[in-house]
Amino acid sequence: MPDTWVVVGLDNGGTSNNATVLDAEGSFLVDRLVETPSRVLEGPEVAVEALAASLAGVLEVTGVDPARVRAVGLDTPGPASATGVISSKGATNFPQPEWWGFDIRTALEERLRLPVVYNNDGNAAALYAHHAHFGADAFRHSSVSAIVGTGLGGGVVEAGKVVKGAAGMAGELGHVHIPMHGLLEDAQPMPACNCGFSADAESVASLTGIANNLLPYWLTRFEGHPLADETPGKAAKLVRGYAEKEDPLALKIFEQQAIALGRLFTIAANFTDPSAYFVGGGVVETGPKFREWFLDKVREHTVLRDEQARAARFALVPDLDMAGARGAAIAARDVLPA
């Protein structure tokens, strides 16, 4: 019967899998992380078994009979196709040649003997943000999400469903080129992205952007700053804590990131005209004062027409550590027959 089934969401990461269970009434049966080792560095066969173990573990935690599971949602970091085939060039979390071109969705489906629905992790988090914000009205709205992490992930949701595109690469917001005039200081070098682009959103609004582009410049403007004594990678991770303490250098960096997101959303407004703009990532995991300051800066630099400004909302991605698994579960639920 419909009221007895559940779907499971599996969020695959570089070190851990997180799992959740969504029932037919739309309730998540766990309100915390349920993590197990992802074992992706041991190759596809071991990693698929680890995903199966993650599913079994969350069913044990929730006391759900495996026979009730109707479908599984899976998300992984990209790049990957819309159907879950890892890039032929590999990826940060899937570096070994065995992963190149590997169809992780089909492999898990064959292992579990259940339908598996795939999204990349940014799209899954974007889908959860959309449904958490709009609830029962989710299918009447659209949204754009930008999630600031090591890179800049996110997604576009239209009528409650993720827009994937022909090759599965829709919503790669980090690699959209944005205007740099007025964002950069006069002497500030043009930021470069690891993807080979320069002046894209990720080159500014990401942890990598801080380490490679923003922090090296701003340390020359604030001589003697304590972050100069740290390695670039460690210093980049410490910037957020300094910003919460209203450190002038850190605030300059996050202001540039907010401007970048605002310009990205301005471009999105002219393509999709969404009902909502969501921001996620490390800035969500900060104190309320800094969080609101950052979101206000993003809003300030998003140029909307009056009609759009009245209709659109700005909000933070909720439950970010669980957003991927929850979005994956929602995607699985939404492919089930009524």
Side-chain angles (χ1 to χ4, degrees), residues 1-142:
M1 296 295 293
D3 61 352
T4 67
W5 58 259
V6 300
V7 294
V8 173
L10 299 176
D11 173 38
N12 169 261
T15 58
S16 300
N17 295 321
N18 179 42
T20 194
V21 180
L22 177 64
D23 69 14
E25 301 299 319
S27 298
F28 290 100
L29 303 188
V30 288
D31 59 1
R32 60 178 177 84
L33 287 170
V34 181
E35 290 187 308
T36 54
S38 64
R39 304 180 67 182
V40 292
L41 295 181
E42 298 176 56
E45 185 175 346
V46 172
V48 169
E49 284 300 318
L51 284 166
S54 180
L55 183 146
V58 78
L59 295 181
E60 183 177 353
V61 166
T62 55
V64 172
D65 186 335
R68 293 175 59 192
V69 180
R70 288 273 299 277
V72 175
L74 169 67
D75 78 70
T76 75
S81 75
T83 57
V85 178
I86 305 301
S87 170
S88 60
K89 296 181 179 180
T92 300
N93 282 1
F94 306 107
Q96 299 95 334
E98 294 86 353
W99 280 112
W100 301 352
F102 183 74
D103 187 345
I104 190 170
R105 186 204 66 81
T106 298
L108 184 61
E109 189 169 81
E110 291 175 352
R111 169 63 178 82
L112 298 178
R113 298 184 180 180
L114 287 166
V116 176
V117 178
Y118 177 81
N119 283 282
N120 69 45
D121 54 358
N123 284 346
L127 186 63
Y128 174 64
H130 183 92
H131 281 261
H133 188 84
F134 291 111
D137 288 333
F139 294 99
R140 300 179 184 177
H141 291 282
S142 59

Side-chain angles (χ1 to χ4, degrees), residues 268-282:
N270 289 286
F271 271 93
T272 67
D273 189 26
S275 307
Y277 301 88
F278 297 115
V279 177

Side-chain angles (χ1 to χ4, degrees), residues 172-189:
E172 290 291 342
L173 304 180
H175 306 302
V176 174
H177 287 82
I178 59 173
M180 289 291 162
H181 179 72
L183 187 159
L184 300 178
E185 298 284 298
D186 289 342
Q188 192 169 359

